[in-house]
Amino acid sequence: PKDPWNHLSIGSDFDGLINPLVNCRDASRYGNLESLLLRWLPVAEQSYRAENGGPALLPRSPGGEVDDAALRDVVGRLLFKNGEAFVTRWLS
């Protein structure tokens, strides 16, 4: 599928070469990053669309609101599933 959410991944090996995100200084705070993405991705999308227009970027329910279950799936892909799929694809 051509869904961009299937190709983005956030990750760090926390080796110090690249500074980690402020809210996720080490792997023990990864859950904090997940909760922040769930909270702020819809806000960021709303701001982006107000400034630039265009279609919705996050999955929507039939009523037009951000679909919470689908958003959780998107965040799960960003934080783990897409990275795992990339490594699996290139190691096989």
Side-chain angles (χ1 to χ4, degrees):
K2 295 183 181 183
D3 181 356
W5 295 115
N6 288 329
H7 302 281
L8 300 170
S9 183
I10 295 174
S12 174
D13 56 11
F14 299 103
D15 66 358
L17 186 60
I18 297 172
N19 292 333
L21 299 170
V22 171
N23 293 311
C24 192
R25 293 281 184 205
D26 60 48
S28 71
R29 307 236 2 235
Y30 215 53
N32 188 40
L33 179 58
E34 179 182 23
S35 65
L36 289 170
L37 286 169
L38 290 168
R39 178 179 177 188
W40 291 105
L41 273 177
V43 174
E45 180 202 51
Q46 185 178 21
S47 289
Y48 177 86
R49 291 181 68 205
E51 182 72 25
N52 300 294
L57 304 171
L58 297 172
R60 294 289 198 264
S61 66
E65 303 86 24
V66 173
D67 182 320
D68 289 335
L71 178 60
R72 284 193 173 283
D73 181 62
V74 162
V75 170
R77 286 186 269 161
L78 287 172
L79 294 177
F80 179 73
K81 293 176 192 172
N82 290 344
E84 178 187 44
F86 175 80
V87 170
T88 300
R89 190 169 51 249
W90 288 105
L91 288 178
S92 58

